Amino acid sequence: MMDSGPINRLKEIVGRSENIVAFTGAGISVPSGIPDFRSAGGLYSADYGERSAEYMLSDECLNYETEKFFKFYKEKMLYPDARPNEGHLWLADMESQGRLKAVITQNIDGLHTIAGSGNVIEFHGSVHRNYCVRCGRLYDADFIANSKGIPVCESCGGTVRPDVVLYGERIDEQVITDSVNAVRSADCMIVIGTSLVVYPAAGLIEYFRGQNLVLINKSPTGYDSRASLVINGDIREIALLMMK
C-alpha cells in the first residue's frame, strides 16, 4: 500500500499549481501492456542476433533493409489492443480541470490522446500517423499492421512509413520549440515513467524554472536531488489515489 504522505504532498502541489506540464516516458504505458525499452526484460535487452534493436529501428535499416525494418516494427512497436491506464486518465482529468496545460511524451503509442488529453506534444512522433514518402498520402496504424511485407501507397506505389523519429533522424524543430516553451512557462512539472537518460528529450528538464519538479518513476533517476517530490511507485496506484 502506498504511503499517504507523498500522495498528500502531491495533491497539495497540484492543488496550488495553475500551469502544470507533464513529461512522460515508457513507464506510463507499461501497465497498458506496452513493454518499455531499457529495463531488464525490455525491448533493448532482448537478443536479435547480429542486429541491435537500435539498428532495427534506425533510418539505415528502413532505407537499406526495408522489409526487415517493417517486420520488426510491426511485431515490436504496434500494440492495437493497448488502452490508456489510470496514469493517462489522471493527466487527462487534470487537463479538464484547467490545471495541466500540456503533455510532452517520448512515447509513440498515442495513448494520451486516446485518454482524452488535448494538448499532447509527441516528441518522437506517433504510430497512428503514417505517410507515403513519395506523394505524402496519410495512413493509419491499421494500414501498416495489415500490410503484407513493405506497406505500399494505394495512390502512387511509394513506401508508406511511420511518422516516428528513428535512430539517425532528427527531432522536428517545431516539436522542440513547443516543448521548451511549455516547460519554460510551467509552474509545476510532473515527470512520469522515464529514467531521464535519453537526450534530447531528457534535456527539457533543464528549461524548467517553476516552483515544483515532481518525479514519479519506479526507480531513482539522476535528477532526484533536484526534485521537490520524488515518488518511486506504480503510476496506476498513484493516479488512482490522486483521482479519489
Side-chain angles (χ1 to χ4, degrees):
M1 177 66 85
M2 179 72 62
D3 182 2
S4 62
I7 298 299
N8 290 337
R9 172 68 175 143
L10 181 55
K11 286 182 177 180
E12 177 188 341
I13 290 172
V14 169
R16 66 167 184 257
S17 299
E18 299 179 348
N19 189 336
I20 301 172
V21 61
F23 177 55
T24 68
I28 197 172
S29 292
V30 169
S32 295
I34 300 177
D36 68 359
F37 289 78
R38 299 179 185 279
S39 67
L43 184 67
Y44 289 173
S45 67
D47 182 9
Y48 304 109
E50 63 183 20
R51 298 298 195 182
S52 66
E54 287 92 339
Y55 172 78
M56 300 299 289
L57 294 173
S58 69
D59 61 341
E60 182 181 0
C61 186
L62 173 64
N63 293 327
Y64 296 106
E65 295 187 85
T66 310
E67 192 161 352
K68 181 179 290 187
F69 169 85
F70 278 106
K71 183 177 187 299
F72 185 90
Y73 179 83
K74 292 175 196 178
E75 291 177 355
K76 304 297 184 182
M77 305 305 292
L78 298 181
Y79 293 86
D81 296 329
R83 294 293 177 266
N85 62 64
E86 293 85 350
H88 301 100
L89 297 174
W90 171 47
L91 297 183
D93 182 60
M94 281 197 289
E95 182 179 315
S96 71
Q97 296 174 23
R99 297 188 184 280
L100 189 143
K101 305 301 183 183
V103 175
I104 305 166
T105 185
Q106 295 173 275
N107 302 335
I108 61 175
D109 52 44
L111 292 181
H112 285 297
T113 300
I114 297 171
S117 290
N119 187 18
V120 181
I121 303 172
E122 293 170 317
F123 208 77
H124 295 135
S126 172
V127 298
H128 298 283
R129 295 191 303 272
N130 304 274
Y131 63 92
C132 173
V133 299
R134 186 181 297 169
C135 73
R137 179 173 170 177
L138 302 178
Y139 292 88
D140 61 16
D142 287 341
F143 179 83
I144 300 292
N146 297 327
S147 62
K148 304 297 182 183
I150 300 171
V152 175
C153 179
E154 295 174 343
S155 296
C156 73
T159 299
V160 178
R161 63 155 288 173
D163 186 13
V164 300
V165 180
L166 303 175
Y167 286 95
E169 296 181 328
R170 300 185 63 173
I171 308 292
D172 182 85
E173 289 294 333
Q174 189 60 54
V175 167
I176 294 175
T177 298
D178 291 345
S179 299
V180 169
N181 288 340
V183 172
R184 276 178 170 163
S185 63
D187 57 8
C188 173
M189 184 174 186
I190 303 177
V191 180
I192 303 172
T194 173
S195 55
L196 294 171
V197 297
V198 179
Y199 287 81
L204 291 173
I205 204 168
E206 300 293 345
Y207 294 95
F208 179 63
R209 297 292 182 269
Q211 186 174 3
N212 289 296
L213 173 63
V214 177
L215 302 182
I216 301 174
N217 199 43
K218 281 196 169 182
S219 56
T221 77
Y223 285 86
D224 286 9
S225 62
R226 297 171 53 174
S228 308
L229 176 64
V230 176
I231 305 179
N232 294 134
D234 187 325
I235 181 57
R236 292 174 300 179
E237 183 180 357
I238 295 165
L240 279 171
L241 293 170
M242 289 299 296
M243 290 189 288
K244 277 188 175 181

